[in-house]
């Protein structure tokens, strides 16, 4: 980000996610934000945020309705930043298994999103993460920083590029809390609901656009 020009971020509106809270959170850290399903706007923005709440299959159906999977693929291929949040992270994997249904995802990363094997589901509340060394997203944040999670499913193995920066968290079992893989990044937690910690993370992402 150079000078006083605010980077343009599009929040992809495909019928899922905390669009307005994400918009406000990004605006607070200096981004110019548009919420839209318009493919040209999404392609041309400095950064694309892909939100997501609810069921994996429903999110994928909504995403495909606006060609969101193609928009993501084209941005990643051309090296343009994308940030997935919560189910917006999960749909980046090859597939998700929920309620016995196996749904094909965007396939940016191999592997599956599956139910957490924990006595209390969903995993809801504040949790620390084990940030990957050299992370841009978590730069300047202390090891005991907590982020807000609400999910029952997660990627529990990393099968993607070994050079990707993978951040882990634990709710009875370890799971992938965030990934930074070239232009493609994602968080399983909600930065827009994570107070100062989430604002710092979003600021780090926006600064890098």
């Amino acid at each position: 980000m150079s000078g006083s020009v605010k980077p343009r971020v599009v929040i992809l509106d495909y019928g899922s996610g905390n669009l307005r809270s994400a918009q406000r959170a990004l605006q607070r850290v200096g981004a110019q934000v548009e919420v839209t399903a318009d493919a040209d706007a999404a392609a041309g923005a400095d950064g694309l945020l892909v939100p997501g709440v609810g069921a994996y299959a429903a999110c994928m159906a909504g995403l495909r309705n606006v060609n969101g999977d193609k928009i993501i693929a084209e941005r990643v291929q051309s090296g343009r930043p994308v940030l997935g949040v919560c189910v917006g992270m999960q749909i980046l994997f090859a597939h998700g298994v929920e309620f016995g249904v196996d749904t094909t995802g965007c396939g940016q990363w191999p592997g599956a999103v599956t139910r957490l094997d924990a006595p209390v589901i969903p995993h809801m509340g504040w949790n620390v993460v084990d940030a990957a060394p050299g992370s841009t997203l978590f730069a300047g944040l202390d090891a005991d920083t907590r982020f807000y999670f609400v999910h029952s499913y997660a990627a529990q193995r990393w099968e993607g590029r070994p050079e990707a920066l993978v951040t882990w968290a634990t709710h009875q079992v370890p799971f992938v809390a965030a990934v930074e893989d070239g232009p493609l990044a994602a968080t399983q937690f909600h930065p827009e609901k994570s107070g100062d910690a989430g604002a710092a993370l979003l600021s780090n992402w926006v600064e890098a656009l």
Side-chain angles (χ1 to χ4, degrees):
M1 191 166 73
S2 61
S4 60
V5 178
K6 289 186 175 183
R8 292 185 306 117
V9 174
V10 161
I11 299 173
L12 190 62
D13 183 3
Y14 64 97
S16 178
N18 303 302
L19 304 176
R20 299 304 163 192
S21 58
Q23 181 181 26
R24 287 192 298 270
L26 283 164
Q27 286 170 337
R28 279 197 294 269
V29 298
Q32 179 184 330
V33 188
E34 182 181 3
V35 178
T36 182
D38 182 77
D40 290 337
D46 297 312
L48 178 71
L49 186 138
V50 182
V53 295
Y56 191 105
C59 282
M60 275 310 303
L63 193 69
R64 289 203 173 97
N65 281 343
V66 300
N67 289 319
D69 50 341
K70 294 191 177 103
I71 291 167
I72 293 167
E74 285 166 7
R75 282 191 65 97
V76 172
Q77 199 168 15
S78 61
R80 311 209 69 193
V82 175
L83 178 65
V85 171
C86 197
V87 184
M89 170 180 176
Q90 296 177 3
I91 51 90
L92 297 171
F93 287 88
H95 57 121
V97 181
E98 275 189 19
F99 312 114
V101 177
D102 192 330
T103 303
T104 301
C106 291
Q108 289 295 325
W109 295 319
V113 169
T114 54
R115 185 177 170 87
L116 292 170
D117 184 12
V120 178
I121 290 290
H123 170 218
M124 186 185 299
W126 297 84
N127 203 345
V128 295
V129 302
D130 183 12
S135 166
T136 297
L137 290 181
F138 297 95
L141 289 166
D142 294 334
D144 60 356
T145 300
R146 293 177 177 269
F147 296 89
Y148 186 78
F149 291 84
V150 53
H151 63 117
S152 301
Y153 297 80
Q156 295 172 64
R157 293 171 57 194
W158 175 251
E159 301 170 39
R161 300 190 317 141
E163 58 267 42
L165 301 180
V166 182
T167 289
W168 294 84
T170 302
H171 178 65
Q172 191 75 18
V173 292
F175 64 89
V176 178
V179 178
E180 295 161 76
D181 184 18
L184 186 58
T187 66
Q188 178 58 67
F189 54 83
H190 285 276
E192 79 282 4
K193 294 181 180 178
S194 295
D196 291 346
L201 182 140
L202 289 174
S203 179
N204 285 339
W205 183 67
V206 168
E207 285 285 342
L209 295 177

